[in-house]
């Protein structure tokens, strides 16, 4: 492989530079794989950008959730089959995951797409990509594994089978370029341009008074997350209800865990607005006075809304013990990692208890100096992550088309997309 390529891509064995225009002349068939809701969001935005960049000629196959399906994807199987996190939690699902890996590889070898774009979910996606290495299909991965946090040797291993990596953070490319993997910083989806959240309109639409204290409670999008977080989050809400008369809660959820979240929040003794509609997410987060959130992508959505937050997380004890032995960074959320300090309070594992959670959230509601300091820190971090420049999805689409152009003529399709194996 050639080293340090970030904006120009070359055909292997040639010095001829390729441009996106060469790829735009075709109608590429792209096989995308997302394994969880955050990847589904990235995939949907990328699909929309690819359609825009190819005048609607791009075609899609793969695995995705409701957002990618809305953009035109006929998913091979339910994305929820892949939404698993943790070393202990994955064991009971191994037979299903192995079957889905084989099914996905078989679908790709049959359809012979112009490129395979795997999105995050490395446990599944990299197993698929390794089985496709050498098949003549460009392999592009979107969202880098956190080699800067733990297991740095992964960079060299994935360079053996991936053709290109698209990363969200500006400091990530050197880790992968150093081992010969072409890499492009495209920007973080949290800074994607779009409609600003309308907090007052959300309150009015849902019957929440302008002066009522409103807390966003966000327990995650994976079954393992909500199972471990709903109990302490619910107990913290009860404490906050005593502190703030008239308290209202807004909770965002996704299809994969909606039933569990609805059942739990129905038992809370404060009014809860439960949202499954992605179209209201920005408004809901903008309306909240503060948030209690599982560590994950939603913290950056909160940052984009400039909503003060407390981050919490719990894992299986064995998974956490292993993580603590291997992880090399001091913080769990990206705002703190970007700034190099704890601007966002983090209550992880044994600290994730109702009383500390409630007290830390309450401080952000009543202490105006603490609120202002956190919002200022958020603004600084978001600028570092690319806020105010070209949309990350548009940049990612350009990278995909350049990789296809640099790879040469697309392979001939060898059959129809296999049907679902439910």
């Amino acid at each position: 492989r050639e080293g340090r390529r970030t904006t120009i891509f070359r055909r292997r064995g040639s010095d001829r530079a390729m441009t996106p225009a060469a790829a735009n002349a075709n109608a590429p068939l792209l096989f995308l794989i997302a394994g969880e809701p955050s990847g589904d969001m990235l995939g949907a935005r990328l699909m929309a950008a690819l359609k825009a960049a190819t005048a609607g000629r791009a075609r899609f196959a793969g695995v995705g959730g409701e957002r990618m399906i809305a953009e035109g994807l006929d998913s091979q199987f339910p994305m929820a089959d892949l939404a698993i996190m943790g070393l202990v939690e994955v064991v009971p699902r191994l037979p299903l995951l192995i079957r889905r890996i084989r099914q996905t590889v078989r679908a790709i070898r049959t359809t012979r797409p112009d490129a395979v774009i795997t999105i995050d979910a490395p446990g599944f996606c990299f197993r698929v990509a390794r089985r496709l290495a050498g098949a003549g299909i460009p392999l592009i991965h979107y969202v880098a594994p956190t080699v800067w946090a733990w297991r740095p040797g992964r960079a060299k291993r994935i360079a053996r089978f991936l053709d290109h990596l698209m990363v969200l953070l500006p400091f990530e490319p050197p880790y992968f370029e150093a081992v010969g993997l072409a890499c492009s910083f495209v920007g973080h989806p949290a800074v994607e341009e779009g409609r600003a959240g309308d907090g007052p309109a959300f309150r009015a639409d849902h019957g929440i008074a302008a002066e009522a204290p409103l807390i966003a409670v966000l327990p995650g999008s994976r079954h393992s997350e909500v199972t471990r977080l709903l109990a302490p989050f619910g107990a913290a809400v009860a404490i906050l209800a005593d502190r703030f008369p008239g308290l209202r809660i807004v909770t965002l959820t996704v299809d994969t865990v909606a039933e569990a979240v609805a059942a739990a929040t129905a038992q809370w003794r404060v009014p809860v607005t439960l949202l499954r509609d992605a179209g209201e997410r920005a408004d809901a987060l903008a309306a909240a006075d503060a948030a209690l959130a599982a560590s994950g992508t939603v913290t950056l959505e909160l940052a984009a809304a400039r909503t003060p937050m407390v981050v919490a997380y719990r894992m299986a004890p064995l998974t956490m013990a292993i993580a603590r032995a291997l992880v090399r960074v001091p913080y769990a959320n990206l705002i703190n990692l970007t700034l190099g300090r704890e601007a966002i309070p983090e209550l992880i594992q044994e600290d994730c208890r109702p009383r500390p959670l409630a007290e830390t959230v309450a401080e952000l509601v009543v202490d105006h100096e603490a609120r202002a300091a956190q919002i200022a820190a958020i603004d600084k971090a978001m600028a570092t992550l690319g806020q105010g420049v070209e949309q990350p999805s548009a940049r990612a689409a350009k990278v995909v088309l350049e990789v296809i152009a640099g790879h040469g003529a697309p392979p001939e399709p060898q059959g129809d997309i296999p049907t679902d194996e439910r």
Side-chain angles (χ1 to χ4, degrees):
R1 295 179 186 270
E2 298 172 276
R4 300 192 66 81
R5 297 175 293 177
T6 58
T7 56
I8 298 294
F9 303 90
R10 304 179 189 279
R11 189 188 307 275
R12 288 181 180 174
S14 170
D15 289 330
R16 183 168 66 87
M18 306 297 290
T19 67
N24 290 350
N26 300 316
L29 172 61
L30 304 165
F31 197 103
L32 297 92
I33 304 171
E36 55 191 38
S38 60
D40 185 41
M41 177 193 69
L42 281 175
R45 288 177 175 173
L46 177 58
M47 290 171 67
L50 285 163
K51 286 189 285 189
T54 61
R57 292 190 295 269
R59 298 166 294 143
F60 306 103
V63 180
E66 56 186 15
R67 297 181 183 182
M68 292 172 68
I69 291 170
E71 288 291 339
L73 183 75
D74 183 11
S75 187
Q76 296 284 302
F77 50 81
M79 187 186 71
D81 288 356
L82 310 182
I84 309 167
M85 184 176 182
L87 300 175
V88 175
E89 293 83 351
V90 77
V91 173
R93 304 287 295 278
L94 276 175
L96 174 62
L97 290 173
I98 292 170
R99 188 165 72 252
R100 292 312 194 194
I101 289 168
R102 291 172 177 168
Q103 178 183 351
T104 304
V105 171
R106 186 164 58 250
I108 292 168
R109 290 187 180 277
T110 300
T111 56
R112 303 294 296 180
D114 293 274
V116 173
I117 305 159
T118 53
I119 306 171
D120 207 359
F124 182 85
C125 289
F126 288 168
R127 284 172 171 80
V128 169
R130 277 198 297 268
R131 287 162 173 77
L132 294 168
I137 304 169
L139 304 175
I140 305 166
H141 189 68
Y142 194 1
V143 184
T146 52
V147 298
W148 39 269
W150 72 304
R151 294 172 59 197
R154 288 177 294 168
K156 189 173 183 178
R157 287 194 289 274
I158 68 172
R160 295 171 185 159
F161 58 85
L162 290 180
D163 294 291
H164 203 92
L165 181 64
M166 300 191 296
V167 304
L168 310 185
L169 308 176
F171 58 79
E172 291 180 308
Y175 289 93
F176 301 95
E177 293 169 338
V179 295
L181 177 57
C183 188
S184 299
F185 166 59
V186 297
H188 201 283
V191 304
E192 186 93 10
E193 294 179 11
R195 181 180 62 84
D198 189 338
F202 179 85
R203 285 176 175 255
D205 290 344
H206 292 273
I208 303 172
E211 68 278 6
L214 177 63
I215 307 296
V217 178
L218 312 165
S221 59
R222 302 180 181 95
H223 286 285
S224 57
E225 290 174 334
V226 300
T227 298
R228 297 184 184 280
L229 292 177
L230 278 171
F233 280 16
V237 166
I239 296 171
L240 288 166
D242 291 334
R243 175 76 181 273
F244 299 107
L247 177 68
R248 299 288 299 269
I249 300 295
V250 59
T251 298
L252 311 184
T253 190
V254 295
D255 283 347
T256 51
V257 296
E259 291 185 9
V261 174
T265 56
Q267 306 303 314
W268 296 357
R269 59 183 180 87
V270 296
V272 177
T273 302
L274 181 65
L275 296 181
R276 296 173 61 169
D277 181 3
E280 288 192 281
R281 289 179 72 91
D283 294 341
L285 298 181
D289 296 301
L292 173 58
S295 179
T297 305
V298 74
T299 61
L300 289 170
E301 293 184 70
L302 287 162
R306 304 180 80 229
T307 301
M309 72 190 88
V310 174
V311 170
Y313 211 75
R314 278 184 176 177
M315 293 181 178
L318 178 58
T319 302
M320 178 57 74
I322 294 171
R324 282 176 166 163
L326 296 176
V327 172
R328 305 184 301 164
V329 293
Y331 305 114
N333 83 86
L334 192 55
I335 298 297
N336 291 343
L337 288 169
T338 300
L339 296 172
R341 62 186 179 88
E342 191 175 290
I344 309 296
E346 296 184 356
L347 298 174
I348 308 298
Q349 205 66 1
E350 60 273 3
D351 294 328
C352 182
R353 293 176 287 113
R355 181 67 61 180
L357 291 173
E359 291 176 351
T360 311
V361 171
E363 181 181 6
L364 291 174
V365 175
V366 301
D367 188 332
H368 296 292
E369 290 186 3
R371 291 177 58 83
Q374 189 178 124
I375 291 170
I378 285 171
D379 290 344
K380 182 177 180 180
M382 294 297 280
T384 302
L385 295 175
Q387 194 167 55
V389 297
E390 185 180 19
Q391 290 187 358
S393 59
R395 297 172 70 177
K398 289 179 181 178
V399 171
V400 169
L401 296 175
E402 287 193 327
V403 171
I404 294 172
H407 189 76
E412 289 295 324
Q414 297 184 358
D416 297 328
I417 299 174
T419 56
D420 190 2
E421 292 188 0
R422 291 181 177 89

